[in-house]
Amino acid sequence: MNIREMQRSSIKGLKAYDPELLANYRYKVDANENGYDVPPLARKKILKEMKKVFFNRYPDPGAVKLKGILAKKNSVSPGSIVIGNGSDELIHYLLQAFTDPGDIIAAPAPSFDMYSILALANGATPVMVPLDDNFDLDEAATLKAVNGAKFIFLAYPNNPTGNCFSRGKILKIIKAAQGFVVLDEAYFEFSGKTFLPLLKKHKNLIILRTFSKAFSLASMRVGYMMADPEVISIINKVRLPYNVNVVSQACAAVMAQTAIAPVVKKILTEREKLYSALKKDYPVVKSDANFLLIKVNDGNYAKKMFEKSGISIRMFKDGRLKDFLRLTIGTPDENRAALAILKRGV
Ligand code: PMP
């Protein structure tokens, strides 16, 4: 048997996702996680919750408690929410539930890689629309691409560029699209900007959020979707019955009720300090998120210098992002270490 030939034809050209993390790092500023772990009081509450867990039983398949907390927090009904094993899983479910082979999935480029990877994994056809010179949406090209597309995915703020696209352009896209417009607000707590209030008015709008960034729970894999209840019930047809484990549900419930504003504020203050320190020496994109996209002089040399200092960073190799690196805003220690390398010149 030729196993290679057996795979779904749309994924034949795909490589397995490799985040290229540096092994044995001292500082980890490569994956847009929160450099600060959950605060001590929240950790205590989580451990207390752990004492109540029945490890022998399946978790609540509907994550009713967590959904209730999130519904209240976001002023939507529990029926408008579904919880995922990370928001990645929810992107997968959306494509699985709503696309047929060959359907067009639009997304800007550069943006989050999983949109095109999961489109291909589900037999759909990704159509990438290049962002303009300011990494904002190219309005005409995007409107053209959404015409006939089943989905457009817009990360807001965008990853890896860090900026929020123009609100006016997105509004035009929501109105023009015949398919769904997914606003992936993974970094919402840093930007403070959201399309959530428009959810009731536009049936084709879908909002994604995650606990992996501002809520310090990347390890637990919890994301959620807010959409029209009909979208949610269709997603529930393809969702694996126990997709979010009991520990993750409990951790997310605690963190959803924990004040994260102080940590967010610390990260934003550090981001602005770094931005000011770097923009004299490098092109840096103004960021609405917890990371900065920086163009260095020589990407390979920069990668070596970071590695030598034990700093794991995200470096881009090809196309428009060649010689760009993405620096997650971490703790002051992590930021100082990264800044020292950049100040030496790379
Ligand atoms: N969307 C965007 C824009 C992201 O940057 C990320 C994480 N890198 C995700 C979604 C996925 O987040 P998670 O699966 O951890 O919820």
Side-chain angles (χ1 to χ4, degrees):
M1 178 198 269
N2 183 339
I3 295 176
R4 226 199 89 77
E5 284 308 312
M6 299 293 280
Q7 66 188 316
R8 186 194 271 262
S9 40
S10 65
I11 66 162
K12 279 184 182 156
L14 263 183
K15 285 199 194 105
Y17 186 76
D18 178 8
E20 294 184 30
L21 307 183
L22 181 64
N24 304 322
Y25 56 83
R26 255 174 82 201
Y27 301 110
K28 191 170 187 310
V29 284
D30 53 22
N32 299 344
E33 299 145 326
N34 198 324
Y36 299 92
D37 206 337
V38 297
L41 188 60
R43 183 175 283 264
K44 226 168 136 180
K45 284 185 187 158
I46 286 169
L47 294 176
K48 205 168 140 199
E49 287 298 316
M50 290 305 101
K51 288 191 182 150
K52 296 189 236 161
V53 166
F54 290 104
F55 288 99
N56 58 327
R57 302 293 180 200
Y58 283 112
D60 173 5
V64 171
K65 182 179 169 198
L66 178 56
K67 262 197 303 204
I69 295 166
L70 293 173
K72 215 165 144 196
K73 195 177 155 98
N74 292 295
S75 306
V76 297
S77 68
S80 314
I81 300 181
V82 60
I83 317 278
N85 192 276
S87 42
D88 281 352
E89 187 187 45
L90 297 170
I91 298 168
H92 193 44
Y93 287 157
L94 276 171
L95 295 163
Q96 212 176 18
F98 288 101
T99 56
D100 284 308
D103 275 353
I104 289 182
I105 309 301
S111 189
F112 187 43
D113 286 337
M114 292 315 285
Y115 307 142
S116 56
I117 294 172
L118 291 174
L120 292 171
N122 285 287
T125 305
V127 170
M128 313 312 280
V129 186
L131 292 172
D132 71 13
D133 292 344
N134 300 316
F135 292 123
D136 195 3
L137 294 171
D138 176 334
E139 187 177 309
T142 314
L143 283 169
K144 200 169 154 207
V146 291
N147 185 14
K150 193 56 106 28
F151 283 96
I152 180 163
F153 284 90
L154 300 172
Y156 186 78
N158 189 36
N159 175 16
T161 57
N163 58 312
C164 278
F165 304 134
S166 307
R167 202 176 168 82
K169 292 182 184 177
I170 295 179
L171 285 172
K172 281 190 196 161
I173 290 162
I174 294 171
K175 283 182 193 147
Q178 294 136 3
F180 292 108
V181 179
V182 182
L183 265 300
D184 180 349
E185 298 183 351
Y187 303 94
F188 155 69
E189 293 78 11
F190 300 106
S191 72
K193 296 181 196 168
T194 178
F195 279 82
L196 182 60
L198 298 189
L199 202 58
K200 281 230 168 71
K201 197 164 155 212
H202 299 281
K203 263 184 178 310
N204 64 337
L205 183 59
I206 295 172
I207 310 264
L208 294 176
R209 298 272 178 89
T210 182
F211 282 87
S212 301
K213 313 295 177 186
F215 290 97
S216 304
L217 284 182
S219 62
M220 286 293 129
R221 311 297 301 122
V222 186
Y224 61 107
M225 179 193 302
M226 293 179 280
D228 187 278
E230 206 171 347
V231 170
I232 303 297
S233 50
I234 291 169
I235 292 293
N236 278 331
K237 296 207 274 185
V238 298
R239 184 172 63 84
L240 297 177
Y242 305 105
N243 62 320
V244 184
N245 74 67
V246 66
V247 178
S248 298
Q249 288 188 33
C251 289
V254 169
M255 283 312 291
Q257 299 174 99
T258 297
I260 55 157
V263 164
V264 167
K265 197 172 160 206
K266 273 199 251 184
I267 292 167
L268 296 185
T269 307
E270 283 280 309
R271 183 190 72 197
E272 290 315 295
K273 261 181 19 196
L274 277 174
Y275 177 79
S276 307
L278 289 170
K279 75 169 197 280
K280 296 171 218 145
D281 305 324
Y282 301 96
V284 189
V285 183
K286 192 100 183 90
S287 173
D288 292 298
N290 65 334
F291 55 88
L292 288 171
L293 186 71
I294 303 158
K295 187 167 199 293
V296 294
N297 302 310
D298 179 345
N300 287 330
Y301 177 71
K303 192 169 164 61
K304 267 193 223 127
M305 289 299 107
F306 278 102
E307 280 179 4
K308 237 170 101 180
S309 299
I311 304 173
S312 188
I313 197 148
R314 180 72 198 269
M315 199 72 230
F316 297 91
K317 284 181 251 152
D318 340 281
R320 192 164 166 196
L321 290 186
K322 186 180 177 314
D323 295 324
F324 277 85
L325 63 84
R326 192 192 62 196
L327 173 68
T328 305
I329 310 302
T331 59
D333 266 1
E334 288 175 323
N335 304 335
R336 251 193 308 276
L339 185 61
I341 309 261
L342 289 160
K343 278 287 166 195
R344 258 184 261 148
V346 286

